[in-house]
Amino acid sequence: MKIYEGIKLNKDVNTAHLYLQLYKALKELIIEGQLKQGDRLPPIRKMAVLLDVNNVTVVSAYRILEKEGLVYKKIGSGTYISYDSLQKNTTESIGINTIKSTTSPNFLMDQGHIHIEENTINFASATPSTDLFPVEDFKEVLNEVLERDKGDAFGYQEGQGYYPLRKTLKEYISYYGVYTDVNNIQIISGAQQGIDIIAKGLVNYGDYVMIESPSYTGAMAVFQSRGAKIIDIPLKEDGLDLESLEKKILTYKPKFLYLMPNFQNPTGISYTLEKKEKIIAIAKKHNLLIVEDDYLSDLNFYGENNATLKSLDHNELVIYIKSFSKIFMPGLRLGFLVAPKNLYANLLMAKHSTDISTSGLLQRALQLYLEKGIWQQHIKYMEHQYRERFEEMVESINNYMPKEVTYRVPKGGVNFWLKLPSGFSTKELYDRAIKENIAFAPGNLFFLHNSNTPYFRLSIAAVDKNQIHQGIKKLGKIIEIYINKNSKDHNKTNEYTPIL
Amino acid sequence: MKIYEGIKLNKDVNTAHLYLQLYKALKELIIEGQLKQGDRLPPIRKMAVLLDVNNVTVVSAYRILEKEGLVYKKIGSGTYISYDSLQKNTTESIGINTIKSTTSPNFLMDQGHIHIEENTINFASATPSTDLFPVEDFKEVLNEVLERDKGDAFGYQEGQGYYPLRKTLKEYISYYGVYTDVNNIQIISGAQQGIDIIAKGLVNYGDYVMIESPSYTGAMAVFQSRGAKIIDIPLKEDGLDLESLEKKILTYKPKFLYLMPNFQNPTGISYTLEKKEKIIAIAKKHNLLIVEDDYLSDLNFYGENNATLKSLDHNELVIYIKSFSKIFMPGLRLGFLVAPKNLYANLLMAKHSTDISTSGLLQRALQLYLEKGIWQQHIKYMEHQYRERFEEMVESINNYMPKEVTYRVPKGGVNFWLKLPSGFSTKELYDRAIKENIAFAPGNLFFLHNSNTPYFRLSIAAVDKNQIHQGIKKLGKIIEIYINKNSKDHNKTNEYTPIL
């Protein structure tokens, strides 16, 4: 095992993710010939213990090596080197060794894009299960569009988006208290692209950008990739810590503040109306641009006020990102921005350099779908479906989670943010749960400084009522065993991020 | 007019495009109150002469001001200020004044995304007219997919792309002499996204990137937006100038070289096989990564060898970008990359942070379309259509262009690269032609250093046979008048970029 002890992994968040580091380190050993054709790699668990990382990290690293044909698996026997360093050619030195990774892979996991065994109950994915999608209705509008528009449906669209769709969205968004002009709407290929375009249009290398802590990993990855310096502001129960916000605005003069004020991801927190208004006032005072990511405000189960920041903004301070992924269909890859007039040109140019325009066929189909008014019915249906799951989730947590696990019941959305007793690690819990076919998202994914937090996120998007019941029951037991087994010899001084 | 004389436009390419600069300058005058509600802006031509810019520049600037509600048009009378600076609020100071534009808008024009009057003959657009699209076939596969996959068609796809599509593409690409593994294929939402993802995955702020000169404006915009330093290598008749290439590789150690070796955009040049092989050898010698943008190699009318670089690459030196936009349907927004194994992880992460995944519905439909083998028929059809246009174009140029206008007949594709007698300006020609309802792409768009070149690009993608005949006849006359009128008092020492 001596050869592996030389592997040094940098566990700081701003460097490449652990599994990529491990992959690269192993690849180097293989290419240099220190690991030879036919050698067996250590078993997953042994390697994990040796390097003090998760099993998942090792599995992921081995998987990439396998994809690259450097190793192969023998069922029941292990993973073996298939590469012969004597056949080494010049190309191996190109590429990954000289090219720094510019994006973080954490959010693959946030999106549920991790390899999960077939029969796993998946609380990790925030992506709705496909049986909820309005397929038949959509098929109808697709055919109507093809009949009506013929080849035009497949041409390039205006970069800003298909005009009739923007007109329809102007009306749609007025249901959410946002009154805007057709020209301020920019169609995007999903909310992720919205974040990407905003970063491209507004952020230059070395600029400061502010986020909530914790926040959406996919946004952090984009800002990092632009070379931005990210400043995180702690979240409190009712939204951002305003004192910290104002102080940091003055210190860093950020390009913008990225927020999810309703059913925040990952915490599920909804900002109070009072706090939203204060944030708008602060933005006005300091000329601060706000990017509001409204990924889910439609799923408001308890009828409380969940105004968007954009609806409170009378001074063009907010860029509003609306995704249809959670409510309609993620595979559509459609959403839109409402942007202040003076940013129009920058965002349009960024959109163009990103993918020229969004699929015309899908834009036309969504336009017709919205125009027909079917969406209101569908949202009610989704609300009903999610609410059933939501209530099952609350009940199951109350019934099956050890009382040491704490959380706040969110007011809607799909995410639950739970906390282990302090000193226990959700990474460790993740390793235990995944072995029992339960997946969730460990809290460290969502923090800029990837410390070992006691938080974890359970999402009800991809699991049905029955799975929720079974899954939480099982997870409750796993946690109970983990806590009890460890509490005797447990060191209570273990650090964790002190928020919420 | 005194107020306008203070407007200083920076005509260097690396700053924002002229029309945006003008727009911003005028906006400032309006907001500061130097131009007051009810004031009339100078007529287009007067303003153009005053600032020594194209009419189009002024038109575009006025249009944005109008969109923002700062000015309005009175038919037959002019453009008037509608903004009252006394009502100025704080928000005006946010945004465009403090945010540098990070992308260049030139390629909006390259894509034909410029405002063009209804009855204009459009040689500017390289986008195929929509009547060529295989709408009926595609409708059939769409319905088959929806029937077969139901909601799954709308779920998120694997970030790398729908597996069966990648399998089908592996086979498809073998028709083009590229033999690769399913795992090396990355699905993208169009070629533009391919360039964007490669830049995101591989280019960091301050890195060097090499391109052909002239080159595709959409690629330059992306590299600039990443903060890359762009080095351009002159094109010769048979492809890149190799001496300049090797020298610059040694000087700058670029991250990669971006090329279009078949029917290059904008010049229409096809590299000779000999030159392609030499470039591969140089890449191997210097460990240089090549990005090959194959936007059109299918349209090879004269059966000559148009091997892709990727098919000549046995050392994983080439990232290959294949677009379906010209051959199938641009509105699909689909394409794929074939990448060396060691870049797999970087590109996948960049794809994720860009838009998570490409529309599942469209991926599944394209897969079925390709699997059914209909594409071969369609390519033959497109080849036939384009060849008819191509031959009409060659004939019309021979018949109607003044002999002072020179060009090389390309071996395929849709772009013709013509040259005015030296000293004449295609910008000036553009202004004259657009008044007569003929649009084309002035050559300066395609050069990194936006000098006033005598070159211009005519594309046959969006014009039918009859329009080609009429359009070239008319353009020939316009050029004749321009050349003759000016040749008396013309200064022959005017500079232009000395390539081709």
Side-chain angles (χ1 to χ4, degrees):
Chain A
M1 302 301 278
K2 219 165 176 189
I3 186 171
Y4 302 108
E5 282 162 16
I7 295 178
K8 293 274 167 285
L9 302 180
N10 180 348
K11 294 177 183 177
D12 190 280
V13 66
N14 282 315
T15 58
H17 198 271
L18 282 174
Y19 78 85
L20 281 178
Q21 291 185 46
L22 177 55
Y23 146 73
K24 286 182 202 172
L26 291 172
K27 184 172 176 175
E28 235 163 74
L29 292 175
I30 295 168
I31 286 167
E32 287 169 3
Q34 295 193 254
L35 287 169
K36 287 184 186 57
Q37 197 167 23
D39 283 357
R40 197 177 79 142
L41 286 174
I44 307 288
R45 290 183 202 188
K46 212 164 177 181
M47 188 66 131
V49 169
L50 188 72
L51 300 175
D52 190 21
V53 295
N54 286 346
N55 290 348
V56 190
T57 303
V58 181
V59 169
S60 304
Y62 283 14
R63 189 172 299 125
I64 306 184
L65 292 170
E66 198 187 346
K67 277 203 173 169
E68 294 197 359
L70 294 169
V71 306
Y72 64 97
K73 266 192 213 156
K74 272 194 207 163
I75 307 286
S77 162
T79 303
Y80 294 84
I81 312 297
S82 51
Y83 179 89
D84 185 354
S85 61
L86 299 177
Q87 289 170 10
K88 180 182 169 185
N89 67 34
T90 58
T91 65
E92 295 295 348
S93 57
I94 299 181
I96 211 144
N97 297 317
T98 54
I99 290 167
K100 271 184 296 172
S101 170
T102 54
T103 48
S104 145
N106 275 348
F107 71 105
L108 304 198
M109 200 156 178
D110 180 15
Q111 294 289 338
H113 286 286
I114 42 172
H115 180 77
I116 281 181
E117 300 294 330
E118 281 267 338
N119 54 355
T120 297
I121 298 179
N122 188 353
F123 293 110
S125 170
T127 299
S129 35
T130 56
D131 55 325
L132 298 180
F133 300 159
V135 179
E136 279 309 313
D137 287 342
F138 212 77
K139 189 170 157 189
E140 210 179 296
V141 293
L142 266 176
N143 278 298
E144 230 177 294
V145 164
L146 288 169
E147 208 54 61
R148 184 191 68 192
D149 300 343
K150 306 260 175 346
D152 290 341
F154 293 103
Y156 278 120
Q157 301 302 310
E158 233 185 300
Q160 209 185 340
Y162 179 53
Y163 187 82
L165 175 58
R166 286 187 283 132
K167 244 175 96 178
T168 306
L169 288 172
K170 178 192 147 142
E171 184 143 336
Y172 169 88
I173 196 69
S174 72
Y175 283 83
Y176 295 87
V178 178
Y179 302 94
T180 190
D181 190 80
V182 178
N183 284 325
N184 298 338
I185 294 177
Q186 167 73 54
I187 305 294
I188 48 179
S189 309
Q192 183 69 33
Q193 183 180 76
I195 299 169
D196 188 43
I197 282 175
I198 292 169
K200 242 186 219 148
L202 311 183
V203 177
N204 292 301
Y205 184 83
D207 283 345
Y208 287 97
V209 165
M210 279 181 175
I211 62 170
E212 297 158 319
S213 177
S215 183
Y216 170 51
T217 47
M220 296 190 241
V222 167
F223 304 148
Q224 276 166 348
S225 168
R226 284 297 300 174
K229 293 177 190 147
I230 304 179
I231 307 298
D232 54 353
I233 315 279
L235 271 175
K236 292 179 153 179
E237 190 185 341
D238 62 346
L240 274 186
D241 179 336
L242 297 186
E243 203 183 312
S244 168
L245 175 65
E246 277 210 81
K247 225 169 69 188
K248 288 185 175 170
I249 291 173
L250 292 172
T251 312
Y252 298 107
K253 297 178 184 50
K255 272 292 163 75
F256 56 74
L257 165 64
Y258 170 83
L259 288 183
M260 289 163 284
N262 291 305
F263 318 132
Q264 203 261 357
N265 181 14
T267 63
I269 281 179
S270 292
Y271 286 39
T272 57
L273 183 59
E274 197 198 340
K275 187 144 261 187
K276 286 173 184 166
E277 281 166 345
K278 279 187 183 157
I279 287 175
I280 290 288
I282 288 174
K284 190 171 171 184
K285 180 174 157 198
H286 297 284
N287 262 341
L288 175 71
L289 187 65
I290 293 175
V291 176
E292 175 180 29
D293 188 350
D294 181 10
Y295 80 117
L296 212 55
S297 73
D298 321 72
L299 289 188
N300 181 21
F301 303 131
Y302 301 102
E304 293 185 40
N305 186 309
N306 66 338
T308 60
L309 284 179
K310 187 69 189 170
S311 71
L312 304 173
D313 164 31
H314 306 294
N315 296 288
E316 304 247 66
L317 298 160
V318 177
I319 304 182
Y320 175 81
I321 309 176
K322 180 74 186 173
S323 157
F324 288 121
S325 298
K326 305 295 178 217
I327 292 303
F328 299 122
M329 293 165 277
L332 271 191
R333 311 308 305 128
L334 270 179
F336 64 96
L337 302 178
V338 182
K341 277 179 188 173
N342 54 0
L343 302 179
Y344 164 82
N346 282 49
L347 295 177
L348 180 58
M349 279 186 272
K351 167 69 180 169
H352 259 96
S353 81
T354 298
D355 69 350
I356 299 180
S357 65
T358 294
S359 160
L361 177 63
L362 298 181
Q363 286 192 60
R364 283 161 200 258
L366 181 63
Q367 191 277 326
L368 194 57
Y369 181 81
L370 292 174
E371 190 187 276
K372 290 193 167 194
I374 325 175
W375 64 274
Q376 281 153 318
Q377 257 169 277
H378 177 67
I379 284 190
K380 273 191 200 133
Y381 167 76
M382 292 295 269
E383 231 175 63
H384 177 76
Q385 295 292 326
Y386 277 120
R387 185 171 176 151
E388 262 192 20
R389 296 179 181 186
F390 189 92
E391 288 173 351
E392 178 65 52
M393 187 71 173
V394 174
E395 206 184 310
S396 295
I397 292 178
N398 289 344
N399 288 341
Y400 301 121
M401 278 290 162
K403 61 178 189 323
E404 292 89 346
V405 174
T406 54
Y407 84 115
R408 272 177 231 287
V409 182
K411 287 172 182 161
V414 297
N415 293 324
F416 289 72
W417 186 241
L418 282 71
K419 183 170 173 281
L420 289 173
S422 37
F424 288 93
S425 146
T426 55
K427 282 196 220 167
E428 164 83 24
L429 177 62
Y430 181 84
D431 281 350
R432 289 165 175 256
I434 203 77
K435 274 183 231 158
E436 308 280 339
N437 293 329
I438 305 274
F440 61 82
N444 57 301
L445 298 182
F446 306 96
F447 290 97
L448 196 56
H449 307 289
N450 223 345
S451 56
N452 196 9
T453 83
Y455 293 97
F456 57 106
R457 189 192 74 181
L458 301 176
S459 172
I460 55 169
V463 282
D464 65 25
K465 227 177 123 175
N466 186 39
Q467 286 176 310
I468 292 172
H469 187 97
Q470 298 303 325
I472 297 301
K473 194 171 168 183
K474 213 164 159 186
L475 185 59
K477 277 194 196 134
I478 295 167
I479 295 178
E480 213 169 283
I481 292 170
Y482 173 42
I483 295 179
N484 287 335
K485 198 185 156 197
N486 284 268
S487 58
K488 306 162 210 157
D489 52 15
H490 190 67
N491 176 5
K492 283 278 176 191
T493 61
N494 223 339
E495 58 165 345
Y496 68 96
T497 312
I499 69 122
L500 295 189
Chain B
M1 300 302 279
K2 219 166 174 184
I3 186 171
Y4 302 107
E5 282 162 17
I7 295 179
K8 292 275 169 286
L9 301 180
N10 180 349
K11 293 176 184 177
D12 190 280
V13 66
N14 282 316
T15 59
H17 199 270
L18 283 174
Y19 79 83
L20 282 179
Q21 291 184 44
L22 177 56
Y23 145 73
K24 286 181 201 171
L26 291 172
K27 184 171 175 177
E28 233 163 75
L29 293 175
I30 295 169
I31 286 167
E32 288 169 3
Q34 296 193 252
L35 287 169
K36 287 184 185 55
Q37 197 167 23
D39 284 357
R40 198 177 79 143
L41 285 174
I44 307 288
R45 292 185 201 187
K46 213 165 177 179
M47 187 66 129
V49 169
L50 189 73
L51 300 176
D52 190 23
V53 295
N54 286 345
N55 290 348
V56 191
T57 304
V58 181
V59 170
S60 304
Y62 284 15
R63 188 170 302 124
I64 306 182
L65 292 171
E66 198 188 345
K67 277 203 174 167
E68 294 196 359
L70 294 169
V71 306
Y72 63 98
K73 266 191 213 157
K74 271 194 207 165
I75 307 287
S77 161
T79 304
Y80 294 84
I81 312 298
S82 51
Y83 179 90
D84 186 355
S85 61
L86 299 176
Q87 290 171 7
K88 180 181 167 185
N89 67 34
T90 59
T91 65
E92 296 295 347
S93 56
I94 298 181
I96 210 145
N97 296 316
T98 55
I99 289 167
K100 269 185 297 169
S101 170
T102 54
T103 46
S104 144
N106 275 349
F107 71 104
L108 305 198
M109 200 157 177
D110 180 18
Q111 295 288 337
H113 286 287
I114 42 173
H115 180 76
I116 281 181
E117 300 295 329
E118 280 268 336
N119 54 355
T120 296
I121 298 179
N122 189 353
F123 293 111
S125 170
T127 299
S129 35
T130 56
D131 55 324
L132 299 180
F133 300 159
V135 179
E136 279 309 313
D137 287 342
F138 212 76
K139 189 170 157 188
E140 210 179 296
V141 294
L142 266 176
N143 278 298
E144 230 178 294
V145 163
L146 288 169
E147 209 53 60
R148 184 191 68 192
D149 300 345
K150 305 263 176 347
D152 289 341
F154 294 104
Y156 279 120
Q157 301 302 311
E158 231 185 304
Q160 208 185 341
Y162 179 53
Y163 186 82
L165 175 59
R166 285 188 282 132
K167 244 174 98 178
T168 305
L169 287 173
K170 178 191 149 144
E171 183 143 338
Y172 169 88
I173 196 68
S174 72
Y175 283 83
Y176 296 88
V178 178
Y179 301 93
T180 190
D181 191 81
V182 178
N183 284 325
N184 297 338
I185 294 177
Q186 167 72 53
I187 305 294
I188 47 179
S189 309
Q192 183 68 33
Q193 184 180 77
I195 299 169
D196 188 42
I197 282 174
I198 291 168
K200 243 185 221 149
L202 311 183
V203 177
N204 291 301
Y205 184 82
D207 284 344
Y208 287 97
V209 165
M210 279 182 176
I211 61 169
E212 297 158 319
S213 178
S215 182
Y216 170 52
T217 48
M220 297 190 242
V222 167
F223 303 148
Q224 277 167 348
S225 168
R226 282 301 296 177
K229 293 176 190 149
I230 304 179
I231 307 297
D232 54 353
I233 317 279
L235 271 175
K236 291 179 154 179
E237 191 186 339
D238 62 346
L240 274 186
D241 177 337
L242 297 185
E243 203 181 312
S244 168
L245 175 65
E246 277 210 82
K247 225 168 71 185
K248 288 183 175 171
I249 291 172
L250 291 172
T251 312
Y252 298 107
K253 298 178 182 48
K255 272 293 162 75
F256 55 75
L257 165 64
Y258 170 82
L259 289 184
M260 290 163 284
N262 290 307
F263 318 132
Q264 202 260 0
N265 181 14
T267 62
I269 281 180
S270 292
Y271 287 38
T272 57
L273 183 59
E274 195 197 339
K275 187 141 260 188
K276 285 173 185 166
E277 280 166 346
K278 278 187 184 159
I279 287 176
I280 290 287
I282 289 175
K284 191 172 171 185
K285 180 173 158 198
H286 297 285
N287 262 341
L288 175 72
L289 187 66
I290 293 175
V291 176
E292 175 180 29
D293 187 351
D294 181 10
Y295 79 116
L296 212 54
S297 72
D298 320 73
L299 288 188
N300 181 21
F301 303 130
Y302 300 101
E304 294 186 41
N305 186 311
N306 66 338
T308 59
L309 284 178
K310 186 69 189 169
S311 71
L312 303 173
D313 165 30
H314 306 294
N315 295 289
E316 303 248 68
L317 298 160
V318 177
I319 304 183
Y320 175 81
I321 309 176
K322 180 74 186 173
S323 157
F324 289 121
S325 298
K326 305 295 179 215
I327 293 302
F328 298 121
M329 293 164 278
L332 271 191
R333 312 307 305 125
L334 269 180
F336 64 96
L337 302 179
V338 183
K341 276 180 189 172
N342 53 0
L343 302 179
Y344 163 83
N346 282 48
L347 295 177
L348 180 59
M349 279 186 273
K351 167 69 180 170
H352 259 97
S353 82
T354 298
D355 68 351
I356 298 180
S357 66
T358 294
S359 160
L361 177 63
L362 298 181
Q363 287 192 60
R364 283 161 199 256
L366 181 63
Q367 191 278 325
L368 194 57
Y369 181 80
L370 292 174
E371 189 186 277
K372 288 191 168 196
I374 326 176
W375 65 274
Q376 281 152 319
Q377 253 170 280
H378 177 67
I379 284 190
K380 272 189 201 135
Y381 167 76
M382 293 295 267
E383 232 176 62
H384 177 77
Q385 295 293 324
Y386 278 120
R387 185 170 175 154
E388 261 191 20
R389 295 179 183 187
F390 190 91
E391 288 172 353
E392 177 65 51
M393 187 70 173
V394 174
E395 205 183 313
S396 295
I397 291 178
N398 288 344
N399 289 341
Y400 301 120
M401 278 289 163
K403 62 176 188 327
E404 292 89 345
V405 174
T406 54
Y407 84 114
R408 274 178 228 287
V409 182
K411 287 173 182 161
V414 297
N415 292 324
F416 289 71
W417 186 240
L418 282 71
K419 182 170 173 282
L420 289 173
S422 37
F424 288 93
S425 146
T426 55
K427 282 196 221 167
E428 164 83 24
L429 177 63
Y430 182 85
D431 281 350
R432 288 164 175 257
I434 202 76
K435 274 182 230 155
E436 309 279 340
N437 293 329
I438 305 275
F440 62 81
N444 57 301
L445 297 183
F446 306 96
F447 289 97
L448 195 56
H449 308 290
N450 223 344
S451 55
N452 194 9
T453 82
Y455 292 97
F456 58 105
R457 189 192 74 181
L458 300 177
S459 171
I460 55 169
V463 282
D464 64 26
K465 225 177 125 174
N466 186 39
Q467 286 176 310
I468 291 172
H469 187 97
Q470 298 304 323
I472 296 301
K473 194 171 168 184
K474 213 163 160 187
L475 185 59
K477 277 195 196 134
I478 296 168
I479 294 178
E480 213 168 285
I481 293 169
Y482 173 40
I483 295 179
N484 288 333
K485 198 184 155 197
N486 285 267
S487 58
K488 307 164 209 154
D489 53 13
H490 189 65
N491 177 4
K492 284 278 177 192
T493 60
N494 222 338
E495 59 164 345
Y496 69 95
T497 310
I499 68 123
L500 296 192

